[in-house]
Amino acid sequence: MGPDDTPGRAGLCVYNAGFFKDARVRRILDLAGWDVTFGLPGDGDAVGIWGASPTSHRGRAVAKRADAPLVTVEDAFLRSVLPGRSGEPAMGLVIDRTGVHFDASAPSDLETLLATQDFDDALLARADRAIERIGHWALSKYNCWDPRLKAPEDDYVVVVDQTRGDASLPEDAEARFAQMLAAARDENPRARVLLRTHPETTLGHRTGFYGTEHCDDQVTLSTEAIAPARLLRNAQTIYTVSSTLGFEAILHGHAPRVFGTPFYAGWGLTRDQGPMPRRGRTLTPAQLFAGAMVLYPTWYDPFRDRLCQVEDVIDALTARMVAWQQDRAGWVITNMSAWKRPHLTKVFGGWARVDCRTRRADAQRLAQRTGRPLMVWANDAGPTTDPFVRIEDGFLRSPGLGAALVPPSSLGLDDEGIHFDPAKPSRLERLVSASVDLPLAEIERVDRLIARITALGVSKYNLKDDLPPLPETRPRVLVVGQVENDAAVQRARPDPFGNRDLLLAARDANPDATVIFKSHPDVEAGFRAGRVADAGDIADLVLTSGDAAKLLAEVDAVWTISSTMGLEALMRGVPVTCLGAPFYAGWGLTTDLGPVPDRRAPGPSLQGLIHAALIGYPRYFDPVTGQPCPVEVAVERLAEGIGFAPPGILARLQRLKAWVR
């Protein structure tokens, strides 16, 4: 069910306290038109039960006695990072008025939908794009996997374990799991058999059907946190009773062997152990996905507090998953300005402990003792051989200056180098290089993002100063000043090269153009170095303020050493000349007059560059919900002027140049 086709309001009488304990479940039901309540159903009311939970018999009895319709509620198939028993709320629900999707003894809304829906071309195109994106990000129902782990390289098949007592399993589940393992052995005598444990079993919440007693030279337990997508993609075949991994295996090109009656069996996409006479239609993977992931669920957007589509859930769940992957072990932060520490603790402390230490030696001892990684601000990290994860502001930062102590909404972590230092590869550089393999769905996402950023006038700092009238003559060449003692300038090229050198080079190369010099906001605010005393003698116009996004819409070319405004200009179709070696130079998208590393070569598209810089590399933190968020939410917040307020007393200390360490 989408956000625009909710029913009229009705009462939903429930007899399970979980409906009241889980605020997310109540909110989704409320937005879907249900007033959740205790008590007996009246006219027009329904009785709600949670799947086939131990309390569902209460609701069934009341519904039968009152002759009221029964509504079954369950988690949707893209749920969360951690399983529900870990306390994390779901991203959506399935609200079924006729049955429950995992019980094939009677039809459900999902089965009826899959049997009768006319899947038009537009819907199937959406499904194909969403499948691509789920594959690209390796999303699964649960997403607590380690990005460093790869699938085995030898031939293997996957036998999917489930948890004992799971409501989707038949009464003879024990026998079915034994039969399934025997079939996997017999049908694949030369392949390794991996018994894939359920995340709740791995985390100690519930037991499964397989253990070490089932292992031998051919069979092994797969308990490592390998991404399910990676494991499924490289497997020879998949065996399951009714796990959602069977559905995901179909999306990765498999026809899994199925020993139960899950919703995805019986449609010609699985090798079913038993007959399913009601399901005679043959579906494609896109049709199955369109029914199960686009039309059937009720998805929730926690950032805008509204119902949404599966595409929004993919964005939000990816952001949350990446944050968990980076933060799950906790952090030790060192050598960090005092005003940054509370904000960084909030951003990176959502999953595990964050400790700040002033002395680097103390931080290193704590990290060694606890096994937590070390984090340091990139400018202060020292040689790239030091064992630190470097952190730096993202390229859509805040509604205000960092030098004015406005905390950032976006931050980039780099364990390989740092993007502004071309002397060594960085994680961002690797992402740009790899962007040539992005699926079309992610490219289309970038196109939408660029259109949104330009339409809303969003930039790095979002300073909405008025833009003075510009000279009428064309072409207009914008020369972007930077903070000269910033590491991004000092490491951009081996020789000393400042704003005046940049301005002179642009003037010499464009003698007939209108040259406009814009100083960096931090310089004009008096926080940083980089003023050009005779800029007015070289340029035709010197700007000390002005909305960067509006300015870029008025110029014909940009010259820079390594400013982020070069990236913003590329997004807006403005040609860029680089005198340094920023991360966006060297890919054939800019005119490069600086010493660009030979390892960079033309190939990535503009969309690939933007995807790496604004989607793949940074983390975004929503100031409204206090949660990791996708870039699309960050863009909306910045356009609305919503961000983090600077700490007052430290702001005054900064004004006095009394940095607290």
Side-chain angles (χ1 to χ4, degrees):
M1 180 182 294
D4 301 321
D5 54 3
T6 56
R9 301 205 68 80
L12 188 68
C13 303
V14 301
Y15 312 100
N16 179 335
F19 281 95
F20 294 93
K21 292 179 180 178
D22 193 322
R24 175 69 59 81
V25 168
R26 288 201 319 277
R27 184 56 180 155
I28 296 174
L29 289 170
D30 176 60
L31 290 169
W34 296 101
D35 294 322
V36 179
T37 181
F38 281 125
L40 295 176
D43 291 342
D45 293 340
V47 173
I49 60 174
W50 188 269
S53 67
T55 62
S56 62
H57 69 280
R58 302 173 191 164
R60 293 182 186 278
V62 172
K64 184 177 181 179
R65 203 162 48 238
D67 194 25
L70 190 68
V71 174
T72 305
V73 182
E74 266 282 356
D75 291 330
F77 305 125
L78 276 178
R79 190 195 184 281
S80 51
V81 175
L82 298 172
R85 279 178 171 77
S86 296
E88 186 178 354
M91 297 297 299
L93 301 175
V94 292
I95 306 169
D96 202 305
R97 295 167 179 262
T98 59
V100 59
H101 66 81
F102 55 72
D103 183 359
S105 64
S108 65
D109 287 353
L110 177 54
E111 182 180 296
T112 302
L113 189 157
L114 293 173
T116 62
Q117 177 70 29
D118 180 16
F119 297 101
D120 61 39
D121 290 343
L123 179 59
L124 294 179
R126 276 187 65 194
D128 283 332
R129 295 293 187 266
I131 291 170
E132 280 185 345
R133 296 194 58 216
I134 286 173
H136 174 74
W137 295 109
L139 290 178
S140 183
K141 182 176 183 179
Y142 308 115
N143 295 278
C144 45
W145 52 271
D146 189 335
R148 299 168 299 181
L149 298 179
K150 299 180 180 179
E153 295 182 357
D154 53 343
D155 293 337
Y156 65 91
V157 300
V158 174
V159 176
V160 182
D161 197 7
Q162 293 176 247
T163 55
R164 291 180 180 274
D166 191 291
S168 71
L169 295 175
E171 292 183 1
D172 61 344
E174 192 85 46
R176 300 227 189 176
F177 278 90
Q179 181 188 20
M180 180 168 65
L181 178 54
R185 286 177 177 276
D186 294 343
E187 294 167 8
N188 305 276
R190 292 182 176 83
R192 190 173 162 201
V193 177
L194 299 183
L195 304 178
R196 177 64 175 186
T197 56
H198 192 280
E200 289 190 344
T201 302
T202 305
L203 293 170
H205 296 312
R206 292 199 285 180
T207 59
F209 289 86
Y210 299 129
T212 54
E213 67 275 15
H214 296 94
C215 299
D216 54 27
D217 291 343
Q218 184 187 13
V219 180
T220 58
L221 283 175
S222 174
T223 58
E224 290 186 302
I226 302 171
R230 294 177 181 175
L231 201 64
L232 296 174
R233 198 176 293 142
N234 294 340
Q236 290 182 323
T237 192
I238 312 299
Y239 292 77
T240 183
V241 175
S242 61
S243 169
T244 308
L245 285 186
F247 170 55
E248 296 175 15
I250 294 171
L251 305 183
H252 289 290
H254 289 287
R257 282 271 273 130
V258 176
F259 287 75
T261 54
F263 73 88
Y264 52 83
W267 309 105
L269 295 168
T270 53
R271 294 174 293 140
D272 302 324
Q273 186 69 10
M276 304 195 68
R278 285 197 315 272
R279 301 179 185 177
R281 187 181 188 187
T282 298
L283 299 176
T284 65
Q287 289 172 326
L288 178 67
F289 183 93
M293 299 287 270
V294 179
L295 300 178
Y296 183 52
T298 300
W299 297 112
Y300 177 68
D301 180 346
F303 305 106
R304 304 170 181 92
D305 188 30
R306 67 189 185 193
L307 300 186
C308 66
Q309 304 290 353
V310 67
E311 292 87 352
D312 303 301
V313 172
I314 292 171
D315 296 342
L317 187 54
T318 298
R320 190 167 180 82
M321 176 187 71
V322 170
W324 179 85
Q325 289 172 347
Q326 293 180 343
D327 300 344
R328 68 190 187 280
W331 290 97
V332 177
I333 298 177
T334 186
N335 202 33
M336 197 74 66
S337 298
W339 74 270
K340 294 178 181 178
R341 296 172 199 162
H343 182 69
L344 295 180
T345 299
K346 181 190 300 182
V347 172
F348 295 103
W351 301 97
R353 184 180 177 87
V354 174
D355 282 305
C356 299
R357 293 291 184 271
T358 302
R359 295 181 64 250
R360 187 168 295 195
D362 292 341
Q364 289 175 320
R365 282 193 293 270
L366 178 60
Q368 186 176 16
R369 187 174 73 251
T370 61
R372 284 182 267 157
L374 281 161
M375 178 191 295
V376 69
W377 202 259
N379 287 3
D380 301 321
T384 53
T385 54
D386 285 352
F388 296 111
V389 175
R390 290 154 179 79
I391 183 174
E392 183 57 77
D393 288 336
F395 307 117
L396 297 173
R397 186 190 185 280
S398 54
L401 300 175
L405 304 191
V406 177
S409 295
S410 67
L411 291 157
L413 292 175
D414 205 314
D415 57 354
E416 300 175 35
I418 191 62
H419 67 81
F420 57 72
D421 186 356
K424 182 183 177 182
S426 66
R427 187 170 74 90
L428 177 52
E429 185 178 292
R430 175 173 55 79
L431 289 172
V432 175
S433 182
S435 69
V436 295
D437 296 322
L438 284 173
L440 177 60
E442 286 294 311
I443 296 295
E444 291 174 345
R445 180 188 182 190
V446 172
D447 287 335
R448 292 190 297 271
L449 177 62
I450 292 175
R452 191 72 173 148
I453 288 173
T454 54
L456 294 175
V458 171
S459 61
K460 182 173 184 178
Y461 296 114
N462 302 285
L463 302 173
K464 302 301 182 182
D465 300 326
D466 291 334
L467 188 67
L470 302 183
E472 294 293 331
T473 53
R474 295 279 189 170
R476 297 170 180 169
V477 176
L478 174 63
V479 180
V480 182
Q482 293 180 246
V483 176
E484 290 187 340
N485 59 354
D486 191 84
V489 174
Q490 295 181 342
R491 301 187 194 183
R493 48 189 295 158
D495 56 322
F497 195 88
N499 289 332
R500 189 172 188 277
D501 302 308
L502 170 68
L503 184 55
L504 287 171
R507 175 82 279 175
D508 290 345
N510 300 276
D512 300 323
T514 297
V515 174
I516 303 167
F517 179 72
K518 185 180 188 305
S519 185
H520 192 280
D522 283 350
V523 174
E524 289 304 319
F527 297 141
R528 308 288 294 276
R531 195 175 296 277
V532 179
D534 59 345
D537 298 330
I538 306 170
D540 298 289
L541 177 66
V542 176
L543 297 179
T544 58
S545 63
D547 188 318
K550 291 180 180 178
L551 180 58
L552 288 172
E554 299 294 329
V555 301
D556 302 290
V558 167
W559 279 57
T560 181
I561 300 173
S562 59
S563 170
T564 303
M565 278 192 72
L567 180 70
E568 296 177 8
L570 292 175
M571 275 196 289
R572 292 162 171 83
V574 180
V576 176
T577 298
C578 299
L579 276 296
F583 72 90
Y584 54 82
W587 309 106
L589 302 171
T590 53
T591 298
D592 301 323
L593 304 182
V596 178
D598 292 338
R599 62 180 178 271
R600 301 181 192 172
S605 65
L606 174 62
Q607 291 97 329
L609 172 69
I610 301 303
H611 191 281
L614 299 187
I615 297 176
Y617 184 65
R619 288 259 302 270
Y620 298 92
F621 193 73
D622 179 24
V624 176
T625 63
Q627 296 294 322
C629 69
V631 60
E632 290 84 358
V633 172
V635 167
E636 288 183 20
R637 302 293 194 233
L638 292 173
E640 295 164 356
I642 299 173
F644 298 98
I649 188 169
L650 287 175
R652 289 193 291 272
L653 289 171
Q654 163 66 5
R655 294 286 184 182
L656 296 171
K657 302 297 183 181
W659 287 93
V660 181
R661 288 284 181 177

